[in-house]
Amino acid sequence: MHTTKSSINIQSVKGKGSMLSEPLILLDNKKIKSLLSENIKSLVSIEILETTHSTNDYLKTILEKKSIIVCLAEQQTKGKGRLGRQWHSPFAQNIYFSCHYPFHKDVSKLTGLSLIIALATISALRVYCGENNFVIKWPNDILVDAKKLAGILVEINTDMHGLTDAIIGIGINCNMSNTDGDTIDQPWTSLQQVTGKSIDRNKLVATLITALIKYIQQFEVSGLVHFRGEWKTNDYLLGKSVTVISGGNNELTGIATGINDQGHLLVKLSDGTIHAISSGDATLKKL
Ligand code: BTN
């Protein structure tokens, strides 16, 4: 997704000057907290910024490493996507969300974390919308009708004792207009387009935090294996023909048959062999 520009949709009304085409409702810490349970409120602190380069990068500058911290921004000037891409982040229209989560575990225990974050996000979207047409394209793109609605960028840091904390970045297209998204170079959609309604970002953020904590706590207890069934019901690629590019220009084409216990994509080739593809080593060619 490409370039960041900041704009608000303004309509001119004959005889009355200009007005916003949608009421501008900003992110509001109090409102979000009022929608969280006492338990979650006691676990999570929330910081809202008007603008920042990237909410993921902002959280890296925070020295307090012991607690769960959520950072939201109205706008990102250098929003980051996976694989070095940019994430389109216009002002006050979408959700740009990052969460510092102190796992303090060996990195091997976090295998598949980014897939779990995709499941948590999709679950929050369903709770918020009461709709069910969201799917996950491995490893963690959330799509509706083959168009990208949300993306996830998990960054893991390991300290000198080998213990980890994660910065979990989630971008959800909410009220972004076609004009604002016109420079995005892949098919995309927004929740407003999906539901036909303006999105209450504060309510969606509270729903997202609630789902995230629930899924991560379960993941800490039972790992990715617990979620294999849920993954299967959300897996956009299952049974589809895919081409994977690894090690520069090596291409592998086969049928996607799900994931293994490490969260690697399984691809069955025409000779019957099954290859496990790690998201760190390979990218999917456009379907
Ligand atoms: C992708 O699909 O490529 C991942 C997109 C992740 C975007 C979010 S927005 C909040 C957080 N801050 C960033 O700079 N990126 C993530």
Side-chain angles (χ1 to χ4, degrees), residues 53-57 76 78-83 85 87 89 95-98 140-141 148 150-153 169-171:
H53 286 346
S54 149
T55 50
N56 269 29
D57 289 346
Q76 298 184 118
K78 284 191 183 150
K80 302 189 299 184
R82 286 180 59 242
L83 309 168
R85 297 186 187 122
W87 186 257
S89 309
I95 288 175
Y96 318 117
F97 172 107
S98 296
N140 49 24
D141 284 353
K148 186 145 168 175
I152 290 159
L153 176 66
I170 305 174

Side-chain angles (χ1 to χ4, degrees), residues 108-170:
S108 62
K109 297 271 186 297
L110 300 190
T111 310
L113 173 66
S114 75
L115 280 64
I116 299 307
I117 304 304
L119 287 175
T121 305
I122 223 169
S123 138
L125 290 168
R126 289 197 182 114
V127 169
Y128 177 88
C129 298
E131 290 197 23
N132 208 15
N133 46 356
F134 307 103
V135 284
I136 306 173
K137 183 171 147 215
W138 179 89
N140 49 24
D141 284 353
I142 299 195
L143 312 181
V144 175
D145 296 334
K147 294 182 220 160
K148 186 145 168 175
L149 173 76
I152 290 159
L153 176 66
V154 176
E155 299 182 86
I156 291 176
N157 303 303
T158 309
D159 70 12
M160 54 184 167
H161 308 292
L163 300 176
T164 54
D165 55 355
I167 307 235
I168 298 161
I170 305 174

Side-chain angles (χ1 to χ4, degrees), residues 30 174 278:
K30 267 199 194 142
C174 291
S278 137

